[in-house]
Amino acid sequence: MQLRHLADKAASAGLEEKAPSPVSNGGAPAPFGPDPAIVLPSIGAVLYDWDIATDRLLWGDNLAETLGAVARGELSTGRAYGERLGAESAASRYEAVMNSTATDEGEGAPFRAVYSLAPARETGGGPLIWVEDCGRWFAGRDGRPHRVHGLVRVITERKELEGEMKRRAQIDALTGTVTRVQLADHAQRLLGQPEKARKPFAVLLVAIENLFALNRTYGYDAGDEIIVRLAARLRANLRVNDLVSRYAGNKFAVLLDNCEAEQAKATGMRLIEVISQAPFETQVGAIPATARMGAVVAPRDGRTPEILFQHAEEALDAARQRNGARFVAYASSLDRDIGRLHALHVADSVVSALNERRVELAFQPIVSAKTGAIAFYEALLRVRLADGSIVCPGDILPVAEKSGLVRLLDQRVLELALARLAEEPDLRVSVNASIATLNDPEWPAWLASATNVYPGVAKRLTIEMTESTMIEDFDTTRRLIAACKSLGIKLAMDDFGAGHTSFRNLRQLDFDLVKIDGAFVRNISKSADDRFFVRTLTDLARHLGLEIVAEWVEDEATAALLREWGVDYFQGSYFGVAETAPAAFAPPQAAAASA
Ligand code: C2E
Ligand code: CA
Ligand code: CA
């Protein structure tokens, strides 16, 4: 009664619902219920008992009936069984049991694995079968699995059905191309690659023109044939790594791998040509068709598949305008050209301003909160255009940062500031440094030689860096600050409050002063939230022993609040705007930032 023994064990292993077993009666024959020897083969399942220490694997009598060709050959040890494991299997029985995180509290611990099995080699091979293997393992004295009782059930059909359903969800039944869901998945994978490995790719949305009319004129079958042949024609004209997808009824999407805008346009135009070049063969004769196309390039035109596709649709809509071009790239080429021209123009102006010495400084006073006297000035970048007009940083910096010109601008500003400091022995000035400048490994050495030209001025210079610049790389920031300090230069944290500096970071960095971001300061007389926030920032800086500048102080009410909270200096239109040619610098009275 080996089988009955196994069936009882399986029953106690919680398999009753799968393998109806006789009621266990201390090993006595079951008084009622179906005979498992009849039931088990009919549900395609076989019981087993595996002794891990000896590796002996004992099977129910219906083994051959259940596993067919797989059961032929050697299966009487766990090792022999394991050798039959199919390559696609996710986890074997051995792994499911041995890696189980459950514990056996005396009743066995459940496990489950799904894997495939190959027929014995000596049978000459044959198809794999898929099985579900579940049961319980029982611990030995050490708590580790010692014995396993379980049931192997054949699920090949279910597995095939699942596979088919999966395949169907991925493949358009008519054309055999992937569906939009698959396309989106693929796009997502490409977008999700690490920055270094990521290549731009394009999505072309292809719409068959007048498919509705074609269907009406030639019938839906002919319409379907056009769709099928068009898909094949697209496929035949693309590279292996490009993907064709049935995007919607009359639309295809083509994903061009590793492709820039120019190339996308060339390919799109070629495909439009290829489609209209020759009619499509159908049962009712050759039918000509034409297509229109909208294109996007990722990640430029969208960083998620949804946005990309939405922009591609917008471009396609434009292409479908009656008199529009057949191919339209998202963000009409006009806009793009204007953007590019603008950037070129700005970069050009900056370069010539640098060459022609038209980079200038505007000085804005920073006054003592107690006395109102000017303590120092912030030197702000100004570019004088060839026609004499003055441009502020907001119009230049975005382009200058992208084109790398910002480092040259920062250098020029520093040179001008140092020269000015040398001319005016009582003047104190602070200047801004951009991320690019701070990250430039050559900069500390350059700074050392630049300050060397004018002995004694460095101690009247402060360099402002923003919070977001410094937290990018804490150690580099610390080294940089140390290098500046060794030259006698002071350090200010600019735009304090706009970033996320932690209290700990702030304490570890050797700043001399903080400048509270004007965007918060300007509203404190109106907004309780801003009031609370600025107050908190003030307390924090005070606690760390830093001097405090409040930016954008535009009225007396604001100044009064800040004074009460212990802010040391004010900067803002209420005390003076930035001027390019101050007639004379007021002699500084307070020993600002000179601690
Ligand atoms: P920032 O460092 O926060 O400089 C203060 C800005 O606030 C200046 O604008 C100043 O004119 C403006 N401002 C001063 N008082 C008030 C006020 O009461 N109300 C308002 N609404 N604004 C006030 P500016 O000169 O246009 O500079 C803008 C930004 O450009 C600066 O912000 C700084 O981040 C950057 N920048 C300026 N010069 C340089 C430079 O030489 N190098 C680099 N890398 N960046 C610079
Ligand atoms: Ca500043
Ligand atoms: Ca600022």
Side-chain angles (χ1 to χ4, degrees):
M1 285 314 293
Q2 189 184 66
L3 178 71
R4 175 141 304 137
H5 164 72
L6 286 171
D8 289 351
K9 287 285 177 64
S12 65
L15 298 170
E16 303 84 342
E17 71 284 8
K18 288 183 176 131
S21 66
V23 173
S24 175
N25 200 2
F32 53 79
D35 182 346
I38 298 163
V39 173
L40 287 176
S42 69
I43 62 164
V46 56
L47 288 158
Y48 66 86
D49 182 341
W50 177 32
D51 180 52
I52 295 175
T54 63
D55 201 36
R56 193 191 53 137
L57 181 56
L58 216 59
W59 292 95
D61 295 339
N62 62 333
L63 174 67
E65 230 166 314
T66 308
L67 298 188
V70 172
R72 281 195 266 155
E74 171 57 6
L75 275 189
S76 61
T77 63
R79 172 188 285 268
Y81 183 66
E83 278 166 8
R84 301 288 192 78
L85 203 67
E88 297 158 75
S89 310
S92 63
R93 171 196 299 168
Y94 182 85
E95 285 162 333
V97 171
M98 292 308 186
N99 300 339
S100 165
T101 51
T103 48
D104 172 18
E105 308 283 0
E107 307 199 300
F111 72 90
R112 178 177 176 273
V114 171
Y115 49 86
S116 60
L117 293 168
R121 216 173 283 141
E122 51 271 34
T123 65
L128 297 180
I129 62 167
W130 280 90
V131 300
E132 177 186 54
D133 185 342
C134 53
R136 276 168 191 266
W137 58 262
F138 297 84
R141 266 197 222 115
D142 59 356
R144 299 287 307 141
H146 183 71
R147 262 191 116 81
V148 180
H149 303 300
L151 178 82
V152 169
R153 175 200 299 273
V154 179
I155 56 161
T156 307
E157 258 177 51
R158 189 180 93 200
K159 206 61 191 167
E160 279 169 358
L161 194 67
E162 278 173 350
E164 175 61 18
M165 278 166 62
K166 224 177 181 174
R167 220 173 56 76
R168 270 196 219 157
Q170 292 168 355
I171 302 288
D172 173 51
L174 182 63
T175 60
T177 61
V178 300
T179 62
R180 179 162 53 180
V181 175
Q182 285 301 101
L183 179 77
D185 283 352
H186 187 58
Q188 181 66 59
R189 263 196 302 282
L190 293 178
L191 288 164
Q193 277 177 335
E195 195 117 23
K196 279 202 194 105
R198 197 164 60 200
K199 303 245 167 55
F201 64 91
V203 178
L204 309 177
L205 210 52
V206 188
I208 308 170
E209 273 191 301
N210 303 332
L211 188 67
F212 181 69
L214 294 177
N215 278 334
R216 289 275 294 272
T217 314
Y218 302 101
Y220 281 91
D221 287 348
D224 280 358
E225 282 182 83
I226 294 176
I227 291 171
V228 170
R229 292 188 194 280
L230 196 140
R233 212 179 270 186
L234 287 174
R235 190 58 279 160
N237 281 280
L238 291 165
R239 299 169 301 180
V240 268
N241 282 343
D242 299 332
L243 193 69
V244 179
S245 153
R246 178 96 183 270
Y247 185 84
N250 68 335
K251 284 183 209 159
F252 285 95
V254 177
L255 191 151
L256 303 173
D257 200 33
N258 190 3
C259 178
E260 301 268 8
E262 263 80 339
Q263 207 185 336
K265 179 165 187 186
T267 307
M269 302 292 266
R270 186 164 56 78
L271 291 178
I272 289 176
E273 181 62 29
V274 156
I275 290 168
S276 58
Q277 202 171 50
F280 292 89
E281 290 302 328
T282 72
Q283 298 281 343
V284 297
I287 303 175
T290 53
R292 289 186 179 257
M293 209 176 279
V296 285
V297 175
R300 188 194 70 187
D301 297 335
R303 291 180 178 277
T304 66
E306 296 74 35
I307 298 208
L308 262 186
F309 294 174
Q310 183 194 321
H311 287 168
E313 301 233 21
E314 281 173 30
L316 179 59
D317 283 345
R320 284 168 134 179
Q321 301 298 311
R322 193 184 293 235
N323 297 318
R326 292 188 165 273
F327 177 96
V328 172
Y330 175 70
S332 80
S333 53
L334 189 65
D335 285 355
R336 229 177 326 140
D337 287 351
I338 287 174
R340 219 180 278 143
L341 269 178
H342 173 73
L344 266 179
H345 180 71
V346 170
D348 226 42
S349 309
V350 169
V351 170
S352 52
L354 281 162
N355 284 334
E356 295 161 18
R357 312 225 144 239
R358 285 187 276 104
V359 174
E360 300 182 9
L361 298 183
F363 292 89
Q364 184 174 28
I366 294 164
V367 306
S368 156
K370 283 204 190 83
T371 66
I374 294 176
F376 61 111
Y377 291 84
E378 178 172 6
L380 294 156
L381 167 75
R382 296 293 181 264
V383 171
R384 189 176 293 278
L385 295 184
D387 66 6
S389 59
I390 294 265
V391 183
C392 286
D395 294 331
I396 303 169
L397 287 180
V399 172
E401 272 160 11
K402 279 205 195 97
S403 58
L405 287 168
V406 70
R407 269 167 44 232
L408 298 177
L409 286 172
D410 280 354
Q411 277 192 8
R412 180 60 56 80
V413 164
L414 252 165
E415 283 169 349
L416 292 171
L418 287 169
R420 202 64 190 250
L421 285 169
E423 280 167 24
E424 315 246 356
D426 292 327
L427 185 65
R428 293 177 183 276
V429 161
S430 73
V431 296
N432 298 281
S434 67
I435 300 194
T437 295
L438 298 168
N439 279 337
D440 179 357
E442 316 273 309
W443 190 63
W446 179 88
L447 192 62
S449 63
T451 47
N452 228 343
V453 177
Y454 309 104
V457 301
K459 61 179 193 303
R460 289 184 281 123
L461 177 69
T462 301
I463 288 176
E464 301 189 2
M465 59 175 81
T466 63
E467 244 189 306
S468 43
T469 335
M470 44 150 287
I471 48 177
E472 262 189 19
D473 179 353
F474 191 72
D475 285 331
T476 313
T477 307
R478 196 151 52 177
R479 272 198 299 277
L480 199 66
I481 291 178
C484 292
K485 290 260 151 144
S486 73
L487 298 171
I489 298 169
K490 292 179 191 60
L491 269 303
M493 185 200 271
D494 200 359
D495 299 348
F496 185 45
H500 318 274
T501 315
S502 74
F503 184 71
R504 213 184 76 235
N505 283 359
L506 195 58
R507 191 169 45 197
Q508 285 179 15
L509 294 171
D510 197 8
F511 281 103
D512 299 281
L513 68 152
V514 294
K515 300 183 72 178
I516 300 179
D517 196 322
F520 304 111
V521 173
R522 75 182 322 180
N523 287 324
I524 55 170
S525 57
K526 284 162 242 143
S527 153
D529 282 350
D530 285 359
R531 209 154 41 236
F532 177 76
F533 187 56
V534 170
R535 179 104 207 235
T536 308
L537 293 175
T538 309
D539 289 347
L540 183 61
R542 169 105 305 132
H543 184 80
L544 292 171
L546 296 166
E547 290 200 291
I548 307 164
V549 179
E551 301 180 327
W552 296 12
V553 183
E554 295 175 344
D555 50 44
E556 178 52 39
T558 305
L561 276 171
L562 294 165
R563 210 176 279 123
E564 194 187 306
W565 298 340
V567 167
D568 302 285
Y569 303 103
F570 298 147
Q571 178 178 3
S573 56
Y574 184 60
F575 297 98
V577 293
E579 273 182 76
T580 38
F585 288 105
Q589 287 158 19
S594 61

